[in-house]
Amino acid sequence: MYIVKCMPCPWYFHGVCTSPKLPDPTEDVVAVERCTSETAYRGCSLFVEPSNRITKKASPKKERLKIYAPIHAIPQGTGIECPYGEIVNIENGYSIAICKILERPLTKYELPLCNKYWRECPYRAITPI
């Protein structure tokens, strides 16, 4: 008995469409039946073939990040060991840690994990150095 793994749309992540045709990821255009099928997603107007070459995107803009200080704010002077991490100072004297691979802020609970285990990070493993 063989189990065939379904290959969903490469732009579908955690219930959100991340198509390069969209200005921002959104769940508004998601149709789970289409996005998770093996072939139907190719008929979607937002589908584009992913390139084999990974392009490095610029750091996320501070004004577009959704920050919730109780979970994202980190103490001043905190560093990040991962080469794909960045500490960014935002308004009101707060600092946050950004994961450049995920293009999102890390929570203050994720930051120690990224500092300690960045070499084993599965996201880092799929990104060229």
Side-chain angles (χ1 to χ4, degrees):
M1 177 180 194
Y2 294 99
I3 298 174
V4 178
K5 184 173 179 172
C6 176
M7 295 300 293
C9 178
W11 307 114
Y12 178 72
F13 292 105
H14 306 292
V16 177
C17 179
T18 62
S19 170
K21 290 185 176 182
L22 294 169
D24 292 307
T26 181
E27 61 186 21
D28 295 341
V29 297
V30 171
V32 176
E33 302 80 32
R34 180 185 62 225
C35 299
T36 58
S37 78
E38 286 191 50
T39 57
Y41 65 84
R42 293 184 178 278
C44 175
S45 63
L46 297 172
F47 176 73
V48 288
E49 285 290 338
S51 64
N52 289 338
R53 187 172 49 117
I54 297 175
T55 57
K56 188 173 182 178
K57 296 182 181 179
S59 294
K61 295 180 179 161
K62 290 186 242 180
E63 59 272 7
R64 293 181 59 195
L65 295 174
K66 293 181 181 177
I67 305 299
Y68 182 56
I71 63 169
H72 292 114
I74 57 174
Q76 291 288 339
T78 302
I80 187 164
E81 299 292 321
C82 178
Y84 294 104
E86 176 182 12
I87 303 297
V88 177
N89 295 319
I90 57 174
E91 71 265 356
N92 299 329
Y94 290 121
S95 293
I96 59 169
I98 303 286
C99 176
K100 294 177 188 176
I101 296 172
L102 297 176
E103 297 182 335
R104 71 166 177 82
L106 298 170
T107 67
K108 61 184 174 184
Y109 305 105
E110 291 172 318
L111 183 58
L113 296 173
C114 291
N115 277 335
K116 189 171 183 179
Y117 300 110
W118 67 270
R119 287 176 186 84
E120 292 86 20
C121 175
Y123 300 114
R124 180 185 172 275
I126 61 170
T127 302
I129 296 177

